Amino acid sequence: MTPHTSAPGRAPAAATGLLVGGAAGFLLTEAVAVLVSLAVGEPLDVGGGGPVRAVLVAAVLLCALAGALVGLRRAGRPGGPRPEGGR
């Protein structure tokens, strides 16, 4: 196995990233919906489905996927303090 697939703690890190990313995506879509409803004066209508609902669901799923990828990347890094100003 390669070091990237056998590193301990990658699955919990990916799951945590998925949940945090999904929550961030949900908050992002809610914030956009509030801003649009304030600008237009009416709430977004996603009850019947359509493209608006598809865009909102896709945004949450993309944020969740991005969170899982960030979790995987961070789990693969060696621990310990970083030097000042370093990445």
Side-chain angles (χ1 to χ4, degrees):
M1 294 186 141
T2 63
H4 292 291
T5 58
S6 64
R10 288 181 59 92
T16 302
L18 185 79
L19 292 174
V20 170
F26 179 74
L27 290 175
L28 175 71
T29 58
E30 289 295 317
V32 168
V34 167
L35 291 175
V36 167
S37 70
L38 288 175
V40 176
E42 293 182 20
L44 288 176
D45 183 22
V46 294
V52 176
R53 178 180 271 177
V55 168
L56 293 176
V57 169
V60 172
L61 290 176
L62 286 175
C63 286
L65 180 63
L69 291 175
V70 169
L72 282 173
R73 282 189 59 143
R74 290 188 57 88
R77 291 185 180 168
R82 296 182 185 170
E84 287 287 325
R87 285 189 153 203

